[in-house]
Amino acid sequence: MIGDSVYSPSDQSLSSPNPNLCITVGSMEEEQMVVEQEEEEEELPLPDLGIDLDEDDCDGLLQIETGIDDDGPIAHSAPAPAPGMEFDSYDDAYSYYNSYARELGFAIRIKSSWTKRNSKEKRGAVLCCNCEGFKMVKEANTTSTRRKETRTGCQAMIRLKLIEFDRWKIDQVKLDHNHSFDPERAHNSKSHKTTKSSSASANTKQPQQPPLHVQVRTINLYRALAVPHGTSSSSTSSPGGDHSLSSSRPLLPPGGFSFLQDFFLRIQLTSPNFLYLMDLSDDGSLRNVFWIDPRARAAYSHFGDVVLFDTTCLSNSYQLPLVSFVGIDHHGDSILLGCALLAHQTFETYLWLFRAWLTCMLGRPPQTFITQQCKAMRAAVSEVFPRAHHRLSLTHVLHNIFQSVVQLQDSELFRMALNRVVYGCLKVEEFETAWEEMIIRFGLTNHETINHLFQDRELWAPVYLKDTFLAGALTFRLGDVAAPFIFSGYVHEHTSLREFLEGYQSFLDKKYTRQALCDSESSKFIPELKTTHPYESQMAKVFTVEIFRRFQDEVSAMTSCFGITQVHSNGSASSYVVKEREGEKVRDFEVIYETSAEAQVRCFCVCGGFSFNGYQCRHVLLLLSHNGLQEVPPQYILQRWRKDVKRLYVADFGSGCVDIMNQDQWYEHLHRRAMQVVEQGMRSKEHCRVAWEALQSCLESI
């Protein structure tokens, strides 16, 4: 069966894309074709309806579509169908196409559908214009058929297929009709007469949720022409009581939609895997928009363990309602993992955005997700990332506290005391006692902001975060918290949408160039050692320059540590106390040292250095050396910091299945593989020569 043939590369992880391509032939026993007969339906299913379902995740290019007729462009409240549109259920997909048809003035029917063998579960369907096909000669000549001939052989149709998690996707569309529209007759057709009752039943049907362990929620991906003005007039509040921004505030300024449309289309010319999603209100107006480039999606496979969600522009009422997803790369620098423009700060808005972002990342949530304090945001994080460690940005928490006591007479003394309490306490009891003493001392017992933040202390105070991996985010230099840190120097309070879009690509190019220069420096750099300790020379060959310098500070600080004492032993686990001299004071740091049957060493320090920074602290290093280890154990050398890892920033999302009947998928697949060759060719002159010869050979072969 021709329709069952697909290209199917072997499944690989994101970080190790498989360049090999093989052909597999699907079994005819998996699915069977059935025809659902509707009124006037005689045609047999098309032979290509058996094409296997490919499990791509948001890999299609979501772009703005416009309806065009002889009189010029028409903006429809129901957007024109396009490949890649997804729906929560088959009924939703049918209702959408039926609404689109009713608005244009034609009727639809089910041409064919197919189910799984020995099952009534529908797997795909073709919805066509009611004028599709022709009357059979025998039926046309019968005297009982008195009705006006309506079949004109119209080719307009959409083909639906069931993809993962019970979502339905349009994978083939034909929009052209060969007949004029008759709205009056169409409105009296069977499909439109049943719209009202179907809608009522659909509203009572609860969509089936995907498996919880996957942590992916369905989102509607409409590629539609949004009304370029304002936002929805409705105003909602989050479960936590955070109200949305004023409904009178538009998402885009006058003319902003044209800028945004041109911006997206321009990027897609040079980056076909660039993706954007639009959230439309019931009246078709644009509420929110999210976008992400393929390099960011690929980078997430390397640095998706810790993600910061920055809403500075919203909380500081910038002209540009910009939010961003930010990661930390192998140089300890920020990397952009997606952007969005939001009209409201509600639970529903954040829910849509987080689901959209997670879907683009193939449902792989971060280990740690850091945000500012917001009840609506917190509720959405809990819904979309239930297994992630949700934490609050310590920098913003401290900034909010300082701002709330700016009128305090001893504000500078309070700042010093707060820093000592937050950063200096090693145990929970110590922190809570010191906090209480501090607020009593400065007369802040009834201070609303401070009490509110203290209630959430387990989300931001370092003493509670020692089981949370932060990759340096705890001490990440945000600079001026009144500016979005990844866009510092680029976005300010009065930056307009047009200014932002015009400089966006240049900004990204500078970030990528800086990362490439850091990669080059790390590969060639021979650091100057400050000590003779073997740990320093070991990590000089492994870590990138910036991370090595941070680790080098820990090795140098080992000289201030002394007096290792074993205080407890229980089989393979032992507890030690390491003393450290801090100025004129000496502090005790408890370190747990454990060896397994495989002689693997595990260490944990009360300072939480490894969880906070991603490399071991001075106290553990001293204990390892004390116990005779000449090298840092490999489990404490994270790949995310290594300079010898070749990271290919080419997105390789989806299952890899390529529909051999779909030319768009050919392009996607070939472009992705070719870009991997280009990335490898950039490693050295020899790699470039080999890549060039390989490409030349391919061109000659075809």
Side-chain angles (χ1 to χ4, degrees), residues 254-287:
F257 186 78
S258 297
F259 298 146
L260 197 62
Q261 181 183 21
D262 293 344
F263 168 72
F264 288 151
L265 297 180
R266 185 172 65 251
I267 290 185
Q268 284 185 335
L269 290 176
T270 57
S271 181
N273 287 317
F274 176 83
L275 183 143
Y276 66 90
L277 310 175
M278 289 185 173
D279 179 27
L280 306 180
S281 62
D282 293 338
D283 62 1
S285 61
L286 182 63
R287 291 188 297 201

Side-chain angles (χ1 to χ4, degrees), residues 18-82:
N18 184 2
N20 299 322
L21 184 68
C22 63
I23 298 178
T24 63
V25 180
S27 172
M28 293 180 63
E29 297 180 357
E30 293 297 324
E31 294 184 1
Q32 65 177 348
M33 300 296 299
V34 299
V35 177
E36 295 187 5
Q37 296 292 339
E38 294 285 325
E39 182 181 355
E40 300 185 351
E41 182 168 359
E42 305 89 0
E43 289 73 32
L44 294 176
L46 296 175
D48 64 336
L49 295 182
I51 294 180
D52 282 352
L53 304 180
D54 61 299
E55 300 178 358
D56 54 323
D57 290 78
C58 303
D59 248 1
L61 304 178
L62 303 188
Q63 59 188 357
I64 298 171
E65 301 285 346
T66 58
I68 304 291
D69 66 4
D70 296 337
D71 299 325
I74 302 175
H76 303 292
S77 61

Side-chain angles (χ1 to χ4, degrees), residues 245 249 310-323 345 350 372-373 396 399-400 403 478 480-485 491-495:
L245 297 179
R249 173 179 175 173
D310 185 55
T311 55
T312 302
C313 289
L314 296 182
S315 57
N316 289 279
S317 300
Y318 278 32
Q319 180 178 336
L320 188 68
L322 176 70
V323 299
Q345 298 183 63
Y350 290 128
Q372 297 182 35
Q373 189 183 43
H396 285 88
H399 175 74
N400 290 339
Q403 288 294 104
L478 299 184
D480 181 7
V481 294
F485 63 92
V491 175
H492 52 77
E493 185 177 359
H494 301 293
T495 299

Side-chain angles (χ1 to χ4, degrees), residues 625-640:
S625 180
H626 174 78
N627 288 338
L629 277 74
Q630 295 299 307
E631 291 187 339
V632 176
Q635 64 268 27
Y636 294 120
I637 305 175
L638 300 184
Q639 179 167 299
R640 73 171 343 277

Side-chain angles (χ1 to χ4, degrees), residues 32-168:
Q32 65 177 348
M33 300 296 299
V34 299
V35 177
E36 295 187 5
Q37 296 292 339
E38 294 285 325
E39 182 181 355
E40 300 185 351
E41 182 168 359
E42 305 89 0
E43 289 73 32
L44 294 176
L46 296 175
D48 64 336
L49 295 182
I51 294 180
D52 282 352
L53 304 180
D54 61 299
E55 300 178 358
D56 54 323
D57 290 78
C58 303
D59 248 1
L61 304 178
L62 303 188
Q63 59 188 357
I64 298 171
E65 301 285 346
T66 58
I68 304 291
D69 66 4
D70 296 337
D71 299 325
I74 302 175
H76 303 292
S77 61
M85 294 177 68
E86 298 183 12
F87 303 87
D88 290 345
S89 67
Y90 170 79
D91 290 341
D92 287 348
Y94 182 92
S95 297
Y96 154 75
Y97 191 51
N98 198 32
S99 298
Y100 168 77
R102 182 174 63 252
E103 185 171 329
L104 259 64
F106 69 96
I108 67 169
R109 58 185 168 86
I110 302 173
K111 178 180 177 64
S112 58
S113 65
W114 57 102
T115 65
K116 214 171 186 179
R117 180 173 294 276
N118 300 324
S119 171
K120 294 183 179 181
E121 180 186 5
K122 187 174 292 187
R123 302 300 301 274
V126 173
L127 307 182
C128 65
C129 173
N130 211 31
C131 296
E132 189 272 346
F134 298 95
K135 288 285 187 182
M136 297 180 64
V137 175
K138 182 176 68 174
E139 181 180 351
N141 292 334
T142 60
T143 56
S144 60
T145 305
R146 303 289 186 184
R147 290 178 296 179
K148 177 182 177 182
E149 176 58 60
T150 59
R151 300 294 186 90
T152 64
C154 181
Q155 296 292 313
M157 52 78 72
I158 64 171
R159 186 172 66 183
L160 299 165
K161 65 179 181 181
L162 179 67
I163 59 177
E164 71 281 2
F165 312 137
D166 300 317
R167 287 184 294 165
W168 285 78

Side-chain angles (χ1 to χ4, degrees), residues 333-347:
D333 197 8
S334 59
I335 53 172
L336 191 62
L337 299 177
C339 287
L341 298 176
L342 304 181
H344 301 83
Q345 298 183 63
T346 64
F347 168 76

Side-chain angles (χ1 to χ4, degrees), residues 222-524:
Y222 289 112
R223 296 195 281 184
L225 177 63
V227 179
H229 59 72
T231 61
S232 173
S233 60
S234 63
S235 178
T236 60
S237 60
S238 72
D242 285 3
H243 295 279
S244 66
L245 297 179
S246 171
S247 60
S248 61
R249 173 179 175 173
L251 176 65
L252 302 177
F257 186 78
S258 297
F259 298 146
L260 197 62
Q261 181 183 21
D262 293 344
F263 168 72
F264 288 151
L265 297 180
R266 185 172 65 251
I267 290 185
Q268 284 185 335
L269 290 176
T270 57
S271 181
N273 287 317
F274 176 83
L275 183 143
Y276 66 90
L277 310 175
M278 289 185 173
D279 179 27
L280 306 180
S281 62
D282 293 338
D283 62 1
S285 61
L286 182 63
R287 291 188 297 201
N288 309 294
V289 60
F290 164 76
W291 69 91
I292 185 171
D293 65 86
R295 185 183 176 103
R297 299 176 72 198
Y300 182 75
S301 65
H302 302 293
F303 311 114
D305 44 10
V306 179
V307 175
L308 300 91
F309 181 61
D310 185 55
T311 55
T312 302
C313 289
L314 296 182
S315 57
N316 289 279
S317 300
Y318 278 32
Q319 180 178 336
L320 188 68
L322 176 70
V323 299
S324 56
F325 296 86
V326 181
I328 301 174
D329 70 6
H330 50 309
H331 302 292
D333 197 8
S334 59
I335 53 172
L336 191 62
L337 299 177
C339 287
L341 298 176
L342 304 181
H344 301 83
Q345 298 183 63
T346 64
F347 168 76
E348 291 78 11
T349 295
Y350 290 128
L351 191 67
W352 175 87
L353 178 60
F354 293 159
R355 286 176 175 174
W357 181 80
L358 184 61
T359 302
C360 292
M361 298 307 186
L362 284 186
R364 301 174 182 180
Q367 294 179 27
T368 306
F369 194 69
I370 302 174
T371 70
Q372 297 182 35
Q373 189 183 43
C374 171
K375 291 182 179 179
M377 196 186 305
R378 184 174 179 177
V381 171
S382 177
E383 173 74 17
V384 183
F385 311 120
R387 288 177 175 79
H389 294 284
H390 179 212
R391 301 295 181 256
L392 301 182
S393 168
L394 179 58
T395 302
H396 285 88
V397 168
L398 296 181
H399 175 74
N400 290 339
I401 293 176
F402 294 147
Q403 288 294 104
S404 68
V405 298
V406 69
Q407 302 299 327
L408 191 66
Q409 185 176 0
D410 298 327
S411 58
E412 283 303 316
L413 288 177
F414 174 76
R415 180 185 294 266
M416 295 172 60
L418 180 62
N419 282 324
R420 282 198 303 269
V421 172
V422 171
Y423 293 107
C425 296
L426 297 176
K427 297 183 177 181
V428 171
E429 299 81 4
E430 180 186 359
F431 170 79
E432 294 183 349
T433 300
W435 182 277
E436 184 178 0
E437 293 175 350
M438 177 188 67
I439 63 173
I440 292 175
R441 173 188 172 187
F442 290 94
L444 300 172
T445 306
N446 298 319
H447 195 286
E448 183 178 355
T449 299
I450 292 180
N451 289 338
H452 184 51
L453 289 168
F454 184 70
Q455 291 176 1
D456 288 335
R457 59 191 179 280
E458 295 182 4
L459 299 180
W460 58 264
V463 71
Y464 296 97
L465 307 184
K466 295 172 186 177
D467 62 342
T468 302
F469 183 68
L470 294 169
L474 186 67
T475 56
F476 201 69
R477 299 301 178 189
L478 299 184
D480 181 7
V481 294
F485 63 92
I486 194 170
F487 293 115
S488 293
Y490 171 43
V491 175
H492 52 77
E493 185 177 359
H494 301 293
T495 299
S496 66
L497 176 65
R498 183 169 187 172
E499 291 172 333
F500 174 74
L501 298 180
E502 287 177 347
Y504 178 81
Q505 199 60 47
S506 175
F507 166 80
L508 284 187
D509 290 342
K510 290 178 181 178
K511 292 286 292 185
Y512 296 153
T513 299
R514 178 180 175 182
Q515 188 181 80
L517 291 175
C518 289
D519 286 343
S520 178
E521 180 187 8
S522 293
S523 64
K524 302 174 183 177

